Amino acid sequence: MKHFFERPLPSYTFEIFPPKGNASTAGTYAVIDSLVCFNPDLISVTYGAGGTSRDNTVEITSGIQNKYKVCGVAHLTCVGTTRKELHEILDRLKANNVKNILALRGDLKDENDLGEFHHASELIKFIKEEYGDEFDIFAACYPEKHPEAKSMDEDLKYLKEKCDLGVKALISQLFFDNDIFWEWREKARSIGITQPIIAGIMPITSAAQISKVVELCGASVPVPVRRFVNAYDYNQAAMKDAGIAYATEQIIDLIARGVDGIHLYTMNQPDTVRRIDLGIRSVLYTKRYEARG
Ligand SMILES: Cc1cc2nc3c(=O)[nH]c(=O)nc-3n(C[C@H](O)[C@H](O)[C@H](O)COP(=O)(O)OP(=O)(O)OC[C@H]3O[C@@H](n4cnc5c(N)ncnc54)[C@H](O)[C@@H]3O)c2cc1C
């Protein structure tokens, strides 16, 4: 298995979520069975609150790495955790040959949710101090700034701080407007952020989903997206078709402009991924072929 950083750009990666609580892992493995057919460069697994969900992140990421021989990335957050707990999780990941971590602060319901670490940078520092270069660390970035940041400049300053701690690549928050992403990417490059910036894309497949997403991350919703969300409010199948078509076009445009990578927020829906994959495959592989020289 080639390591993620040895594979040609643009990279093509997926994000999935593990089962919650004591729910069976069988459904998640069925999702992975379908996703690996698309030959992703890595599959990342989200990390929630609660011990069992967190154990599931470790188990599923290890399965991706060892059973499917695909590079697995475990998300890790600062929420409600201690150094000791993080040590235990990192030791288990290391023992299972998982070499990639997406280090995050985590979604907060309340300021008091945080444990011994308050920012992703502290988590990154901890991993580096305790494990040296055992793990390749990814971090999150925000083309429309993080909702809590006072300004874009401040957010970029903290992003640069994270990068300088030894982050290998960035994965962006989802966005629907490629021009916004591209303008922000230029700003990031202008302050010396040199790491690959992987664009996070979420296909919209329902009206409820877009409301939730906008509330959570504040992404701008361009007119064409608004139009299809309003038009197909009562037609679920048409909404899904339009959302997949929009995400496909968005990805093709990003690849044409020379993006470093595409990270699909799959929502554990392999059928949606299959349809996007069909649409982008020739453009993606032509670029990758050219990149090999
Ligand atoms: C690709 C991706 C995957 C994600 N996966 C998960 C997941 O699995 N589980 C989950 O719970 N959440 C996940 N999230 C959501 C993420 O945890 C939230 O967006 C969270 O609010 C911020 O995380 P961060 O790592 O970017 O935090 P940080 O980098 O710590 O930034 C958070 C805020 O603090 C500011 N800041 C940063 N450093 C400092 C500092 N030193 N001093 C003062 N202010 C500072 C930043 O500007 C920003 O406003 C994911 C997000 C992305 C983009």
Side-chain angles (χ1 to χ4, degrees), residues 64-90:
I64 291 168
Q65 183 77 36
N66 301 310
K67 182 172 162 215
Y68 294 91
K69 310 285 182 219
V70 171
C71 178
V73 179
H75 296 206
L76 264 191
T77 76
C78 306
V79 172
T81 197
T82 60
R83 285 170 169 268
K84 186 170 171 282
E85 284 163 344
L86 280 170
H87 245 306
E88 283 166 12
I89 288 175
L90 288 160

Side-chain angles (χ1 to χ4, degrees), residues 51-113:
T52 327
S53 295
R54 292 176 171 192
D55 287 344
N56 287 340
T57 300
V58 175
E59 190 206 310
I60 300 283
T61 314
S62 305
I64 291 168
Q65 183 77 36
N66 301 310
K67 182 172 162 215
Y68 294 91
K69 310 285 182 219
V70 171
C71 178
V73 179
H75 296 206
L76 264 191
T77 76
C78 306
V79 172
T81 197
T82 60
R83 285 170 169 268
K84 186 170 171 282
E85 284 163 344
L86 280 170
H87 245 306
E88 283 166 12
I89 288 175
L90 288 160
D91 286 347
R92 281 172 59 204
L93 289 169
K94 190 176 147 188
N96 282 296
N97 202 28
V98 174
K99 301 275 185 213
N100 299 282
I101 306 284
L102 173 54
L104 300 147
R105 185 198 65 184
D107 282 324
L108 299 184
K109 289 191 187 72
D110 189 301
E111 266 295 307
N112 302 321
D113 286 348

Side-chain angles (χ1 to χ4, degrees), residues 203-275:
I204 291 302
T205 53
S206 75
Q209 181 195 357
I210 196 152
S211 315
K212 199 171 157 199
V213 155
V214 169
E215 189 189 317
L216 199 68
C217 74
S220 309
V221 184
V223 173
V225 178
R226 268 180 218 286
R227 224 176 259 143
F228 79 69
V229 169
N230 291 334
Y232 303 132
D233 198 8
Y234 297 102
N235 185 341
Q236 181 59 39
M239 171 85 75
K240 188 167 175 176
D241 289 348
I244 288 171
Y246 189 86
T248 304
E249 279 185 24
Q250 217 191 331
I251 294 169
I252 289 173
D253 176 65
L254 287 166
I255 294 173
R257 293 194 202 189
V259 75
D260 298 319
I262 298 294
H263 185 68
L264 271 185
Y265 293 103
T266 72
M267 308 301 287
N268 290 19
Q269 292 178 11
D271 174 55
T272 301
V273 175
R274 181 182 57 77
R275 292 174 60 188

Side-chain angles (χ1 to χ4, degrees), residues 15 46-47 75 77 102-107 118-121 140-142 146 148-149 155 158 161-162 171-173 265:
E15 178 171 310
T46 63
Y47 188 81
H75 296 206
T77 76
L102 173 54
L104 300 147
R105 185 198 65 184
D107 282 324
H118 295 88
H119 293 290
S121 51
C141 60
Y142 299 84
H146 185 268
E148 290 163 37
D155 205 30
Y158 290 128
E161 250 176 49
K162 285 200 286 199
I171 305 181
S172 91
Q173 182 59 282
Y265 293 103

Side-chain angles (χ1 to χ4, degrees), residues 163-211:
C163 289
D164 290 347
L165 290 168
V167 163
K168 281 271 196 84
L170 298 169
I171 305 181
S172 91
Q173 182 59 282
L174 64 94
F175 60 91
F176 301 108
D177 186 329
N178 287 356
D179 289 342
I180 291 179
F181 172 80
W182 223 257
E183 219 173 278
W184 168 85
R185 186 183 181 275
E186 293 296 305
K187 273 196 195 126
R189 294 286 182 241
S190 75
I191 61 160
I193 292 175
T194 55
Q195 284 79 353
I197 300 176
I198 302 168
I201 301 294
M202 180 182 279
I204 291 302
T205 53
S206 75
Q209 181 195 357
I210 196 152
S211 315

Side-chain angles (χ1 to χ4, degrees), residues 5-19:
F5 292 98
E6 294 160 3
R7 297 175 68 128
L9 298 180
S11 58
Y12 181 42
T13 62
F14 299 153
E15 178 171 310
I16 61 166
F17 51 81

